[in-house]
Amino acid sequence: MFLDKTRIKILSGKGGNGIVAWRREKYVDKGGPAGGNGGKGGDVYFVATEDMTTLMDFKFQSVFKAENGENGYIKTQHGKCGKDLYVKVPVGTIVKDVTTGKIIADLNTPEQTIMVAQGGRGGRGNACFATAQKRAPQYCEPGENGIERTLELELKLIADVGLLGMPNAGKSTLISSVSSAKPKIADYPFTTLVPNLGVVKKDSGDGYVLADIPGLIEGASEGIGLGHEFLRHVERCRFLIHLVDLTAENPMNNYKIINEELKKHSEQLASVYQIVALNKIDSIDEETKTKYYNEFKQVADDVFLISAATRENINEFMHFVSKKVDEIPKPVIAVDVEEDDGATDNDDSSYSVYKVDKHTYVVEGGKIFRLANVTDGRNTEQLYRFQNILKSMGVFDALKAAGVQEGDIVKIGHLEFDYLY
C-alpha cells in the first residue's frame, strides 16, 4: 500500500521535578540543603531516510512520545535526562504544523535532521536556592511540561524521471520492462492506484529512479479521477516521459489533455521537459505509425515509437533517456519553510478560574498545577512562596473578578485553601 499524507501527534518528554532534601551524614553538623535537580525531558526529532518510500508506517503508529526526565534525588543527585526520540521519515517529506498551518520543514536530503519538539527543563532542587542569606530553602521547582503537537506529513516522491499518460497507456508495462519493479498490470483503466518506483540501470553501472504515476484524465487538476492526489509527485522530477497509446481513439487529443492538466496544476510543471513515447506500435500498421510520428513531431522535439509489451525500440529509447538524466539536473523546488517557534515554545503559564458550587472555586493551568504538585501544604515556607507566585501571575485578581468572597474555598491541584482577603 502507499500513503503519501498523514497526521501524527508528537510529545516531547516532561522535565523531572526538583526535590527538597537535606544532608544527613553522621558527622556533618547542620548539613544544609541537598535536593537534586530533575532531569530534562527528551526531544523529538525527524530524520530523513532513504530506507522508507511511503508514510505507511504512520498508519499503524500515529503517536510518538519521548522519555520523561527523572525527578531529582537526595544528596544533590540529579535526575536522569529522558532519551531523545528520533522518528524516521522518507526523503521528500514536508512537515506542516496543523495548528498554525506553517510549513516547518522540507526534508529532501538523506540524514537531514530537525527538532520538532523540545523536552521540558528539569526543575531545580532546594540546593540551588541556597544563598548566604537563605541557607535552608524549603522549596524546589517543578519540571516543565513537554510540548504536544499535531503535525501533517506530506510525501513528494523524489524520482529522476516521471512517467505520465492516460489510464491504460502502458506505463506499468514499461516500468516493469526496464526496471525490477513489478507493478500490477491488467487490461483495464486505473489498474495503477498508487505511484510505483523502479530503478533503471545505466550503461555506466549506476542507476536512476523512474516513477510510474497513476493515469491522469481530463479534470485531474480539479480532483477528478486519481490525478489530484498524484500530480504533486512529478514536481521534483528532472523531466517527464509522456506515454501515448496509439491504439486509443484520438492519441493527439489525449496528449493535449494531459499537458493541459499539468498547466492547470502549475506553470512550472507544464514547462518541464518531456520525451514523447508513442506506445503499442505492435498493434498498428506501418502507415499509421508513420502518420502519428509525423503528427507528434510537430508538437514535440523528441518522439519515439516503442512497444513496451514486445520491447521493440526499447533499448534505443532508454539509452536516450539515460543520456538526458545525465544532462538535466534535478530541479530545485522552492518550499517556503517558516520559522518554527512551536518546537521550543512550551509556555504553559495560562490558567483558568471557575466556580464549581456556591462557595468553591477551582484554579487550573499547567504551570500552576506543576507548582502545586511540588508544594507541601504543611510547609509554611513553601506555601508562602506558592502564594507569592500566584500573586505575581495575577491569580488573586482573577479570583476577585470571578466573584470569590471571604471564607470561600479555593482548590489548586491537591491543595485547598480558605480565601482570606
Side-chain angles (χ1 to χ4, degrees), residues 244-256 278 292 295-296:
V244 180
D245 180 3
L246 292 185
T247 64
E249 184 176 344
N250 193 332
M252 179 58 75
N253 187 53
N254 290 344
Y255 169 80
K256 290 179 179 178
L278 306 179
Y292 281 135
E295 187 179 339
F296 275 91

Side-chain angles (χ1 to χ4, degrees), residues 83-367:
K83 288 183 180 178
D84 296 335
L85 177 64
Y86 291 85
V87 181
K88 290 185 176 181
V89 297
V91 172
T93 299
I94 291 175
V95 185
K96 180 186 290 186
D97 188 306
V98 173
T99 304
T100 63
K102 289 183 178 179
I103 295 176
I104 61 174
D106 180 16
L107 302 172
N108 54 17
T109 56
E111 304 304 321
Q112 185 178 348
T113 304
I114 181 174
M115 184 179 70
V116 290
Q118 182 175 274
R121 290 179 299 179
R124 293 176 291 177
N126 68 330
C128 288
F129 294 99
T131 64
Q133 293 76 30
K134 195 173 190 66
R135 299 183 180 183
Q138 299 187 33
Y139 47 81
C140 60
E141 273 185 342
E144 283 186 339
N145 274 343
I147 294 173
E148 179 178 333
R149 307 180 76 179
T150 301
L151 302 176
E152 181 178 270
L153 308 181
E154 179 185 331
L155 176 62
K156 289 193 175 184
L157 289 178
I158 298 183
D160 294 289
V161 185
L163 192 55
L164 292 180
M166 281 286 193
N168 218 28
K171 298 183 296 298
S172 296
T173 303
L174 177 59
I175 198 172
S176 67
S177 176
V178 300
S179 74
S180 58
K182 300 300 177 188
K184 181 180 178 182
I185 300 172
D187 190 23
Y188 56 84
F190 297 116
T191 309
T192 303
L193 299 178
V194 299
N196 293 303
L197 296 179
V199 177
V200 182
K201 286 193 175 181
K202 296 189 289 187
D203 296 337
S204 59
D206 56 343
Y208 59 89
V209 178
L210 180 64
D212 165 23
I213 308 299
L216 304 179
I217 61 174
E218 190 169 8
S221 58
E222 280 80 42
I224 299 175
L226 298 174
H228 182 70
E229 287 298 317
F230 300 115
L231 272 168
R232 63 179 179 270
H233 289 309
V234 299
E235 291 180 338
R236 292 187 176 184
C237 296
R238 297 173 190 264
F239 60 90
L240 305 174
I241 296 175
H242 195 142
L243 204 62
V244 180
D245 180 3
L246 292 185
T247 64
E249 184 176 344
N250 193 332
M252 179 58 75
N253 187 53
N254 290 344
Y255 169 80
K256 290 179 179 178
I257 287 173
I258 297 293
N259 282 333
E260 185 62 28
E261 293 308 316
L262 297 182
K263 186 176 181 181
K264 288 179 181 178
H265 183 71
S266 74
E267 288 290 342
Q268 182 179 353
L269 190 55
S271 64
V272 173
Y273 167 72
Q274 290 187 14
I275 301 173
V276 177
L278 306 179
N279 191 28
K280 303 186 182 180
I281 60 172
D282 57 303
S283 302
I284 59 175
D285 56 42
E286 288 296 327
E287 183 180 345
T288 307
K289 277 195 286 186
T290 303
K291 171 197 166 188
Y292 281 135
Y293 180 80
N294 292 333
E295 187 179 339
F296 275 91
K297 280 297 287 183
Q298 296 178 19
V299 295
D301 293 328
D302 298 306
V303 181
F304 287 82
L305 292 164
I306 66 167
S307 171
T310 65
R311 290 190 56 82
E312 186 176 349
N313 297 337
I314 287 294
N315 290 339
E316 177 190 354
F317 171 63
M318 295 308 298
H319 179 75
F320 182 80
V321 172
S322 298
K323 179 183 172 185
K324 286 297 182 183
V325 169
D326 293 333
E327 292 177 359
I328 301 176
K330 277 196 173 184
V332 178
I333 304 298
V335 176
D336 294 328
V337 177
E338 301 181 63
E339 187 175 348
D340 184 22
D341 300 327
T344 56
D345 182 14
N346 58 352
D347 179 20
D348 59 350
S349 59
S350 61
Y351 58 86
S352 57
V353 176
Y354 57 92
K355 191 174 183 178
V356 292
D357 60 41
K358 189 175 181 181
H359 297 292
T360 305
Y361 292 79
V362 172
V363 181
E364 286 186 346
K367 182 177 180 179

Side-chain angles (χ1 to χ4, degrees), residues 2 33 56 151 298 356 404 409 412:
F2 184 89
M56 183 54 61
L151 302 176
Q298 296 178 19
V356 292
V404 70
I409 295 172
I412 306 176

